């Protein structure tokens, strides 16, 4: 359990680091877009190899499919609710923060499940989470500050998201001791569904808007790096 919490804190620390980097200086839009693109590619790899594929192995495609649908619907509904909060509520920064929370919880739960199963921590998934968290937090902090959100509020928001995500890893460890493969597969699917909707709705459009057509190259590079790690540690 201690190891699960430690690795969860490592993965979630990039949320705080990204937030601090976003608030520390003015970031050129093109650079933010490139970082977001790279992170999107890493997340696509995580969905493909660490979430969907692993979920099918432990619990079958039906459980993964149900979880994927649930994750997609939950993210879609909550994202639309955020968009109707009023002035500043539907900004891209808030959507990225929501995405980091909704996909971070099940992602880090999956980390804990892997540790409990004796497979150790998935380095590829850990790197994908860490790398993708940075641009989400940087982009969100920059957008929220530009939209007039108080710095203190931004800090509290991302600290809360980071703590919740870190605690999800020991939660996954505990759940793995009392649940079967179908439940674990559904968690993998939920994470994948939330990620896919977030990527298409906010992260990739934001990256393309800020960095232009080069976003595709950066996304491919992010995918290649994360996929290579996944293959190397398989």
């Amino acid at each position: 359990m201690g190891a699960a919490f430690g690795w969860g804190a490592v993965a979630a620390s990039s949320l705080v680091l990204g937030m601090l980097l976003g608030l520390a200086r003015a970031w050129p839009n093109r650079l933010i877009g490139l970082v977001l693109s790279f992170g999107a590619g890493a997340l696509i790899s995580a969905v493909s190899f660490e979430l969907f594929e692993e979920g099918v192995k432990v619990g079958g495609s039906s459980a993964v499919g149900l979880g994927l649908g649930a994750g997609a619907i939950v993210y879609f509904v909550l994202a639309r609710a955020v968009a109707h909060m009023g002035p500043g509520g539907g900004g891209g920064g808030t959507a990225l923060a929501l995405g980091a929370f909704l996909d971070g919880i099940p992602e880090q739960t999956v980390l804990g499940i892997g540790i409990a199963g004796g497979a150790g921590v998935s380095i590829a998934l850990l790197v994908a989470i860490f790398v993708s968290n940075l641009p989400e937090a940087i982009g969100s902090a920059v957008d929220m500050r530009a939209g007039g959100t108080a710095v203190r509020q931004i800090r509290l928001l991302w600290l809360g998201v980071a703590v919740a995500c870190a605690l999800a890893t020991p939660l996954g460890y505990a759940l793995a001791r009392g649940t079967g493969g179908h439940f674990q597969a559904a968690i993998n699917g939920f994470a994948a569904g939330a990620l896919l909707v977030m990527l298409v709705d906010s992260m990739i459009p934001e990256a393309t808007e800020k960095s232009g057509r080069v976003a595709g190259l950066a996304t491919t590079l992010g995918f290649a790096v994360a996929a290579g790690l996944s293959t190397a540690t398989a």
Side-chain angles (χ1 to χ4, degrees):
M1 181 69 76
F5 179 77
W7 285 114
V10 169
S13 67
S14 59
L15 293 168
V16 178
L17 176 60
M19 175 268 293
L20 293 174
L21 289 172
L23 295 177
R25 49 161 292 179
W27 286 72
N29 278 345
R30 187 174 180 83
L31 181 57
I32 295 174
L34 289 173
V35 176
L36 283 171
S37 300
F38 187 90
L43 284 178
I44 294 170
S45 173
V47 168
S48 303
F49 300 109
E50 302 298 329
L51 297 176
F52 191 88
E53 184 177 26
E54 288 300 317
V56 171
K57 286 181 181 178
V58 299
S61 58
S62 296
V64 176
L66 289 173
L68 192 147
I73 291 170
V74 168
Y75 178 85
F76 179 86
V77 170
L78 291 181
R80 294 307 176 274
V82 169
H84 291 88
M85 284 180 179
T94 307
L96 287 172
L98 175 63
F101 177 77
L102 286 178
D103 62 63
I105 295 295
E107 272 181 345
Q108 297 207 191
T109 301
V110 171
L111 275 180
I113 289 173
I115 294 172
V121 65
S122 169
I123 299 300
L125 181 58
L126 180 67
V127 171
I129 293 172
F130 194 95
V131 169
S132 62
N133 279 347
L134 281 173
E136 283 183 289
I138 291 172
S140 174
V142 170
D143 284 354
M144 292 178 75
R145 190 172 189 180
T149 305
V151 171
R152 181 175 182 274
Q153 185 177 343
I154 298 172
R155 288 173 177 165
L156 289 175
L157 171 65
W158 280 100
L159 284 172
V161 171
V163 169
C165 289
L167 292 176
T169 305
L171 173 63
Y173 183 94
L175 287 173
R177 296 303 179 96
T179 60
H182 293 301
F183 179 80
Q184 296 169 22
I187 292 177
N188 281 45
F190 188 96
L195 274 171
L196 286 172
V197 178
M198 184 275 293
L199 283 165
V200 175
D201 274 6
S202 59
M203 195 168 183
I204 291 176
E206 183 93 357
T208 303
E209 178 185 350
K210 284 181 164 58
S211 62
R213 297 186 65 179
V214 73
L217 290 174
T219 300
T220 303
L221 179 60
F223 179 90
V225 170
L229 286 170
S230 180
T231 303
T233 57

